[in-house]
Amino acid sequence: MLLRTVRLDHPDARKLNDRVQLEYTERYGDPDLTEMDPAQFDPPAGLYLIAYDPDGTPLATGGWRAQDHSPEGYRDGDAELKRMYVVPEARGRGLARRLLTVLEESAREAGRARMVLETGTKQPEAIALYTSCGYLPTAKFGYYRCEPESRCFAKPLTVPAGVPDGGPAAVLRHTAGAGPAAEGR
C-alpha cells in the first residue's frame, strides 16, 4: 500500500467519494449530507489520504479535520474522521486499519486530543473495525446526531509514556507527494 496526501477535491478522492456515496445510498437510502470543505482537511488542521496499489489504482481513502467545541456536540481538540472507505475488491487486506493508524498519528502530531467518528448501524463492519482499534461509544455529535441509526465513537490520542515519537506518520512523511508510484460516513 502506498499512501499519498491529497486534497478532498483531488480527482481520485472525488472518484472514491462517489463510490462511498453509492454505498451509503444502498445502505441508508441517501448519500451522506455532511458538509465538507476541502480546505478543512488541509494540514495542519486536517489530512486527507488515498492508498494506492503499486500500479497506481486508488484503493482506500480517509481523512480527518479539526473540530472544536460547537453546538453539534464536538469538544475542543477533536479530530473528526471522515470518508474512511476501501473499495470492495480490496477489502480484507488490512488497508482500513493501516490507514486509520496513520490518520490517528497525524492528528496526534497536530495536537488533537481525541479522534471521533460517526457511523451507522447498517455498517457493522465499520463498527467492528473501530471497536477493535480501541474506539468507544461516545455522546452523539455532528450532522446525524439526532438520527436513531447513528453511532458515534471516540478514542483518546494521547501518547503513552515511554513510547518513542515517530511511528506510522513517519512513513507518511516519506511518501507524501510521491504520487502513486512511490471506511465512517
Side-chain angles (χ1 to χ4, degrees):
M1 174 178 78
L2 307 164
L3 291 179
R4 183 173 175 202
T5 301
V6 300
R7 284 193 52 126
L8 183 63
D9 54 3
H10 182 280
D12 289 339
R14 286 195 311 263
K15 183 167 109 177
L16 290 172
N17 183 61
D18 289 347
R19 289 187 72 175
V20 73
Q21 292 289 9
L22 286 173
E23 192 162 320
Y24 293 152
T25 300
E26 290 172 7
R27 292 181 189 221
Y28 296 99
D30 293 303
D32 183 353
L33 301 175
T34 304
E35 289 187 30
M36 296 193 308
D37 180 336
Q40 293 175 314
F41 294 86
D42 290 345
L47 182 68
Y48 203 80
L49 300 174
I50 295 180
Y52 291 89
D53 72 8
D55 295 328
T57 302
L59 301 175
T61 184
W64 68 267
R65 61 183 178 175
Q67 295 282 8
D68 288 305
H69 179 77
S70 77
E72 288 192 339
Y74 297 100
R75 294 186 197 167
D76 286 343
D78 281 351
E80 182 185 21
L81 190 66
K82 296 300 294 179
R83 292 299 184 267
M84 285 289 293
Y85 176 72
V86 177
V87 297
E89 56 272 21
R91 292 179 184 166
R93 299 183 199 172
L95 296 176
R97 188 174 303 273
R98 292 188 301 199
L99 189 58
L100 181 60
T101 299
V102 173
L103 290 168
E104 289 171 349
E105 184 66 26
S106 167
R108 180 181 299 113
E109 288 178 358
R112 299 277 92 189
R114 71 178 186 154
M115 186 73 85
V116 297
L117 65 97
E118 187 273 334
T119 188
T121 57
K122 295 182 181 182
Q123 293 171 270
E125 66 284 353
I127 292 171
L129 168 70
Y130 298 128
T131 57
S132 75
C133 290
Y135 286 79
L136 298 173
T138 193
K140 288 186 175 184
F141 60 85
Y143 185 85
Y144 291 97
R145 67 190 176 282
C146 298
E147 295 296 324
E149 294 175 331
S150 173
R151 297 294 179 268
C152 293
F153 294 86
K155 179 179 178 179
L157 293 175
T158 56
V159 179
V163 175
D165 193 14
V171 173
L172 174 62
R173 285 190 292 272
H174 293 289
T175 61
E183 254 157 88
R185 277 173 62 115

